[in-house]
């Protein structure tokens, strides 16, 4: 470690579905956070570790800030506020493809409550936007606050400007030793990562309110003796019987599709063949029930 080695925490904030999890995965260089076009996909503070010659970034991926309609939604917002109070840098994200709106302005203004953290603005999804859109968005985002340390347009999908962002974030971090070993990419448990892989598959083409009603609990992971097969038993939890029927699908076809997609992701994670047993169960209105939320880890 040199005297100038830097390390610290950064989190990305913004409306749901502005590309925070995709950006986290791109910086880490490995998929640690699930992604979906469905809003509010992220439900926990997921830490990804980025190692560079100049130092180490710990990226904390959080849920998107939104107006909560359930107890779960309120707890997710509370989680984001807790993270914001602890990090060294807050990076506000807005997509190049959408005009800055009231939600963006509200979130940018709320950063006044965290004076200790340095602030960076990131215009995401530039690969999907025209040059005119990117220019317009940069002007809009720049005008949201006067204390941005940097305003950076980038594409997490193509990697364009990703190095610029990591260099800028590291330069804003305090001088200090690495916080995690060099071979660590996340502090997520294997059970949590498997649960998220299954939930990502279950989100798939889920419609209307179903995405918010899906939770996953891994009941057991066990390696078989004298075999390279690992057994994984997990529950997909929904709120109503009608949702259970949707997840299972006609003659069980949708659940089989979810299982096949999940198994492929879990095998890649574990590096072993997997036997996956999925069970769908109903926990009535769990998003609004404190006891059910506690059992599901929220």
């Amino acid at each position: 470690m040199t005297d100038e080695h830097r390390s610290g925490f950064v989190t990305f904030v913004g409306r749901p579905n502005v590309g925070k999890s995709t950006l986290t995965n791109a910086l880490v260089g490995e998929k640690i956070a699930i992604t979906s076009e469905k809003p509010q996909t992220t439900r926990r503070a997921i830490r990804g570790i980025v190692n560079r010659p100049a130092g180490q970034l710990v990226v904390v991926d959080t849920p998107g800030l939104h107006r909560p309609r359930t107890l779960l939604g309120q707890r997710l917002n509370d989680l984001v506020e807790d993270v914001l109070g602890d990090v060294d840098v807050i990076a506000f994200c807005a997509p190049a493809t959408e005009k800055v709106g009231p939600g963006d302005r509200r979130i940018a203004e709320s950063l006044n409550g965290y004076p200790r953290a340095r602030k960076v603005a990131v215009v995401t999804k530039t690969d999907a936007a025209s040059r005119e859109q990117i220019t317009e968005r940069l002007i809009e985002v720049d005008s949201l606050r006067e204390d941005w340390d940097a305003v950076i347009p980038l594409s997490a999908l193509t990697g364009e400007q990703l190095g610029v962002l990591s260099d800028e974030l590291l330069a804003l971090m305090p001088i200090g030793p690495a916080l995690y070993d060099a071979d660590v990419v996340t502090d997520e448990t294997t059970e949590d990562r498997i649960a998220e892989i299954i939930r990502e598959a279950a989100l798939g083409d889920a419609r209307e309110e179903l995405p918010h009603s899906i939770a996953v609990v891994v009941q057991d992971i066990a390696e078989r003796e004298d075999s390279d097969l690992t057994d994984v038993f997990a529950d997909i939890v929904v709120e109503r019987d009608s949702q259970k029927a949707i997840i299972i699908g006609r003659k069980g076809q949708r659940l089989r599709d979810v299982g096949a997609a999940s198994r492929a992701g879990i095998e890649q994670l574990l590096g072993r063949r997997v036997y996956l047993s999925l069970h769908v169960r109903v926990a009535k209105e769990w998003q609004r029930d404190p006891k059910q939320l506690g059992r599901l880890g929220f």
Side-chain angles (χ1 to χ4, degrees):
M1 188 189 81
T2 68
D3 291 340
E4 293 301 316
H5 187 281
R6 294 177 181 272
S7 62
F9 294 83
V10 58
T11 192
F12 300 120
V13 299
R15 291 179 289 107
N17 205 28
V18 297
K20 299 183 295 295
S21 296
T22 303
L23 183 51
T24 296
N25 292 337
L27 279 172
V28 174
E30 183 175 322
K31 185 170 184 175
I32 61 162
I34 67 171
T35 58
S36 169
E37 294 181 356
K38 310 294 189 296
Q40 293 148 45
T41 298
T42 303
R43 287 182 177 165
R44 294 198 310 279
I46 297 173
R47 292 173 182 82
I49 293 84
V50 182
N51 289 294
R52 296 286 185 269
Q56 186 181 78
L57 294 172
V58 182
V59 184
V60 189
D61 188 34
T62 61
L65 286 163
H66 63 291
R67 295 190 183 278
R69 294 183 295 172
T70 64
L71 181 57
L72 172 64
Q74 183 58 56
R75 288 189 177 180
L76 296 184
N77 274 359
D78 292 344
L79 171 65
V80 177
E81 291 182 11
D82 288 343
V83 170
L84 291 176
D86 291 336
V87 296
D88 301 288
V89 179
I90 300 171
F92 168 83
C93 297
T97 52
E98 301 174 28
K99 286 184 175 295
V100 167
D104 298 300
R105 285 188 281 273
R106 177 174 55 81
I107 293 169
E109 185 177 347
S110 74
L111 301 186
N112 290 335
Y114 310 97
R116 187 183 75 83
R118 307 288 288 270
K119 280 86 175 177
V120 171
V122 181
V123 174
T124 62
K125 305 184 181 183
T126 57
D127 59 287
S130 66
R131 182 175 296 182
E132 290 75 16
Q133 284 178 305
I134 296 169
T135 301
E136 182 181 348
R137 215 61 65 238
L138 286 169
I139 293 171
E140 290 176 353
V141 168
D142 185 53
S143 67
L144 289 175
R145 297 185 63 88
E146 295 181 353
D147 61 347
W148 298 127
D149 283 285
V151 180
I152 301 169
L154 58 75
S155 168
L157 286 181
T158 67
E160 184 178 10
Q161 294 271 95
L162 206 58
V164 174
L165 176 64
S166 63
D167 289 345
E168 190 66 43
L169 293 176
L170 267 177
L172 296 173
M173 293 297 166
I175 294 173
L179 302 167
Y180 291 86
D181 291 340
D183 59 345
V184 176
V185 295
T186 182
D187 61 1
E188 286 280 279
T189 67
T190 299
E191 287 82 358
D192 285 341
R193 295 186 76 178
I194 288 175
E196 288 291 86
I197 288 169
I198 296 169
R199 188 164 66 91
E200 183 177 43
L203 286 171
D205 58 357
R207 58 183 185 271
E208 298 173 1
E209 290 301 304
L210 184 55
H212 306 290
S213 299
I214 297 173
V216 175
V217 178
V218 174
Q219 300 290 2
D220 192 26
I221 304 170
E223 295 185 5
R224 292 190 188 179
E225 293 184 9
D226 303 320
S227 171
D228 67 345
L229 199 63
T230 296
D231 294 317
V232 176
F233 299 89
D235 291 346
I236 298 176
V237 183
V238 293
E239 294 187 292
R240 296 187 289 278
D241 290 328
S242 60
Q243 295 171 340
K244 179 177 179 178
I246 292 171
I247 290 290
I248 294 173
R250 182 178 171 82
K251 296 183 178 180
Q253 185 57 53
R254 190 167 190 280
L255 186 59
R256 284 194 292 272
D257 291 343
V258 170
S262 301
R263 187 169 58 253
I266 297 168
E267 288 180 339
Q268 184 174 1
L269 174 65
L270 300 181
R272 294 170 58 89
R273 292 192 304 123
V274 167
Y275 168 79
L276 175 63
S277 175
L278 292 179
H279 174 70
V280 185
R281 63 179 173 89
V282 177
K284 300 288 187 182
E285 302 295 332
W286 66 262
Q287 291 186 80
R288 295 170 171 80
D289 184 337
K291 290 184 179 178
Q292 295 278 14
L293 284 171
R295 293 191 193 105
L296 292 170
F298 299 106

